[in-house]
Amino acid sequence: MLGDNGVEWPGQGEIDICEVVGGEPRTVYGTAHSPTYFNENGIGGSTTLPADASQAFHTYAVDKQPHRITWSVDGKPYFTLTPSKLPAPRDWVFEQDMHLLLNVAVGGDWPGPPDASTPSPATMTVDYVRFYGTGRA
């Protein structure tokens, strides 16, 4: 999710609902990025699935409340972020409208450049996207 405040990244804020890296197919990461904590300094948590993420559909979710973001997989929360958990200057940029971006990223700083073992073409299959709450969908 990317902020809609018109500022360039990372000033707009970003909430990664779900990231699965090819070399760690059972680990799901959820991360927040802001002007102070971004890229490898993003703040978040992870959880381990019983099998590779690609073996079954899962429900990846973020519950974004005022001054609280909770990440979950299949209804089980695994990380909650509040302003008190942030490094100084505690820039909480998430009280704004945000838009959803679904993408398959291949390579980059994390996990590194693609090689002969990287599946190509890469695909993402989505069963549904659901939005609850206030704001614009």
Side-chain angles (χ1 to χ4, degrees), residues 86-128:
L86 299 178
R90 300 191 194 282
D91 56 344
W92 185 264
V93 295
F94 308 109
E95 304 305 318
Q96 61 173 306
D97 285 339
M98 302 185 92
H99 64 273
L100 186 64
L101 172 69
L102 303 175
N103 72 319
V104 174
V106 178
D109 292 339
W110 180 54
D115 60 23
S117 69
T118 304
S120 180
T123 62
M124 173 176 36
T125 303
V126 177
D127 186 33
Y128 64 90

Side-chain angles (χ1 to χ4, degrees), residues 11-121:
Q12 71 201 76
E14 175 180 345
I15 301 171
D16 295 322
I17 298 170
C18 166
E19 292 184 293
V20 177
V21 180
E24 303 174 69
R26 293 182 56 211
T27 304
V28 176
Y29 294 91
T31 312
H33 303 273
S34 85
T36 305
Y37 44 95
F38 58 93
N39 287 341
E40 67 274 3
N41 296 316
I43 298 175
S46 65
T47 189
T48 303
L49 299 172
D52 289 2
S54 64
Q55 297 303 304
F57 281 104
H58 296 279
T59 303
Y60 304 101
V62 162
D63 181 8
K64 182 177 162 283
Q65 300 291 327
H67 305 290
R68 187 183 81 226
I69 303 167
T70 300
W71 284 260
S72 65
V73 176
D74 297 330
K76 298 175 186 168
Y78 67 89
F79 183 71
T80 297
L81 182 63
T82 62
S84 65
K85 294 182 178 180
L86 299 178
R90 300 191 194 282
D91 56 344
W92 185 264
V93 295
F94 308 109
E95 304 305 318
Q96 61 173 306
D97 285 339
M98 302 185 92
H99 64 273
L100 186 64
L101 172 69
L102 303 175
N103 72 319
V104 174
V106 178
D109 292 339
W110 180 54
D115 60 23
S117 69
T118 304
S120 180

